[in-house]
Amino acid sequence: MEYKNREIAPENRRDTTSDKKKIKKIAIIILCVFVSLGLLLGVLALVTELLKDDCDDISYEDFRFFEADYNKNVLEDELYLSKNRDIYYNRFGTETILTESNVDDISLSARFFYDYFNCVINGDYQTYPEFFTKNCLESEGFSLPEKFTMQGLYNIHVDLYTAEAKEVDGVEVISEIYEVSYRIFENNGTFRSDVLPDETRTLVFELYIYGGTVKINAIGHRTNG
């Protein structure tokens, strides 16, 4: 018996166009879910890294640093002055070079970082602890340098990662997570002994903002940076 090919009448054919559109729409939704999940996991990983104790981190031998000179004014060193000493502050994709004339028009955090870096550059180790919350200063394993010289910071970058409101001990605070990086010209190890001269290692700052006050609540190292 022979079978002949039979064509399906146009009115009996199934229109698969709508099915393809549905499949494409579902695929896009699934992709968006995975992307969102990836971003969430990235934030959780960063915060987890932030909250690790800082005491077990890298510390290089003294001979790998320049000799500490507490009488040296780094702002009179022409080689250091030739470096890019601007503070690049990136907030929600908008990057600004912080200056005394514009810093108060940007955010409380911008003023905080401007004062923080100038404190370090000027070797003001007595004021330095005032940039931290009491909780941070009393955290197990956290320590501050007792004394440090003027620091030749350059290539300074501050990037906002996340910002959220939360309640801490009955007080409403804004928690901001930043990635912070910079280099130290001829680093002598008195301020940071975890990074060699003119190299960089990214830090992660958690700032608490409450009642017009900004403080560092936690500080740690990024795993790859």
Side-chain angles (χ1 to χ4, degrees), residues 10 12-24:
N12 295 326
R13 292 177 182 172
R14 182 179 178 182
D15 186 2
T16 61
T17 302
S18 59
D19 291 343
K20 291 180 180 179
K21 289 182 178 179
K22 289 179 181 179
I23 294 173
K24 184 177 181 180

Side-chain angles (χ1 to χ4, degrees), residues 44-202:
L44 291 175
L46 180 62
V47 174
T48 300
E49 185 64 27
L50 167 67
L51 298 177
K52 288 182 179 179
D53 287 340
D54 211 37
C55 57
D56 297 326
D57 230 333
I58 295 174
S59 183
Y60 293 102
E61 296 86 355
D62 290 341
F63 73 86
R64 304 192 70 174
F65 297 102
F66 283 77
E67 183 178 354
D69 182 358
Y70 283 87
N71 295 316
K72 179 180 179 179
N73 185 346
V74 72
L75 296 176
E76 296 177 351
D77 189 314
E78 293 185 2
L79 187 55
Y80 169 58
L81 295 179
S82 69
K83 302 289 186 180
N84 183 354
R85 298 180 293 114
D86 290 330
I87 302 172
Y88 293 88
Y89 178 80
N90 191 327
R91 187 176 184 84
F92 300 123
T94 301
E95 186 173 76
T96 308
I97 296 176
L98 301 184
T99 66
E100 183 61 44
S101 62
N102 72 9
V103 68
D104 291 321
D105 297 327
I106 302 173
S107 69
L108 289 174
S109 300
R111 162 56 70 179
F112 173 87
F113 278 112
Y114 183 81
D115 292 342
Y116 173 86
F117 287 121
N118 278 285
C119 173
V120 175
I121 291 171
N122 285 287
D124 187 1
Y125 57 86
Q126 293 176 318
T127 301
Y128 187 67
E130 297 178 9
F131 289 90
F132 298 82
T133 64
K134 181 179 179 181
N135 176 68
C136 183
L137 294 173
E138 295 178 351
S139 296
E140 182 180 356
F142 183 82
S143 62
L144 295 179
E146 294 182 3
K147 189 177 181 180
F148 55 87
T149 67
M150 294 183 72
Q151 299 292 303
L153 305 188
Y154 69 101
N155 285 4
I156 305 169
H157 291 270
V158 180
D159 297 289
L160 177 63
Y161 195 78
T162 63
E164 65 173 344
K166 62 182 181 181
E167 185 175 307
V168 179
D169 297 329
V171 178
E172 290 290 332
V173 305
I174 301 295
S175 170
E176 294 185 342
I177 306 295
Y178 287 87
E179 289 190 346
V180 178
S181 65
Y182 54 82
R183 300 179 188 274
I184 305 178
F185 174 73
E186 295 185 351
N187 185 18
N188 55 36
T190 58
F191 177 65
R192 287 184 65 181
S193 60
D194 64 306
V195 61
L196 294 176
D198 300 297
E199 291 186 347
T200 187
R201 190 172 184 215
T202 301

